[in-house]
Amino acid sequence: WHDLLARYGLTEAILRQRLAIQLNLERYIDQRFRPNVFVDPPSVETYYRDQLAPQLRAQNAPVPPVAEVRARIERVLTEQRVNELVTTWLQALRGQTEIQVR
């Protein structure tokens, strides 16, 4: 374990610190953005028809009825929307940032 960490220039303490930062960021994003996301039934149907079913057919995999994959599609669409909100938020923050070099 320690050899693997050393190969990446890490110590266990640094790894724990980075994981803690990542978890805190994930919690913040979940609290800040996820409550504002609502996936409506037409969006699920559109994703199923335009993306999931064609992808499964291209792989010669069975295409389940939309009712069987609805929850999975809702999770995918929720994650996509949260990512869009985070990206917009980060762009706004970057736009407000002024860096001065002296």
Side-chain angles (χ1 to χ4, degrees):
W1 167 248
H2 292 285
D3 291 340
L4 181 63
L5 289 174
R7 195 176 329 154
Y8 292 100
L10 297 171
T11 65
E12 195 168 330
I14 291 171
L15 180 62
R16 286 180 186 273
Q17 181 185 27
R18 289 184 182 179
L19 289 173
I21 290 168
Q22 183 68 33
L23 286 172
N24 285 335
L25 181 59
E26 293 284 335
R27 283 188 203 113
Y28 176 77
I29 288 171
D30 278 348
Q31 291 173 355
R32 173 110 158 57
F33 298 104
R34 196 169 301 278
N36 299 321
V37 175
F38 172 74
V39 177
D40 60 345
S43 296
V44 172
E45 300 287 336
T46 300
Y47 182 88
Y48 176 83
R49 182 188 66 242
D50 296 346
Q51 294 192 26
L52 181 63
Q55 182 181 45
L56 292 174
R57 284 189 199 102
Q59 298 170 355
N60 291 322
V63 179
V66 69
E68 287 182 21
V69 291
R70 181 174 304 282
R72 188 173 92 189
I73 293 171
E74 287 174 351
R75 283 192 302 274
V76 167
L77 294 175
T78 298
E79 290 304 316
Q80 287 177 353
R81 184 64 184 131
V82 167
N83 287 340
E84 291 168 4
L85 291 170
V86 169
T87 298
T88 302
W89 174 63
L90 289 174
Q91 288 171 342
L93 288 176
R94 287 181 185 125
Q96 298 170 5
T97 303
E98 183 179 320
I99 298 174
Q100 296 180 0
V101 179
R102 295 180 184 195

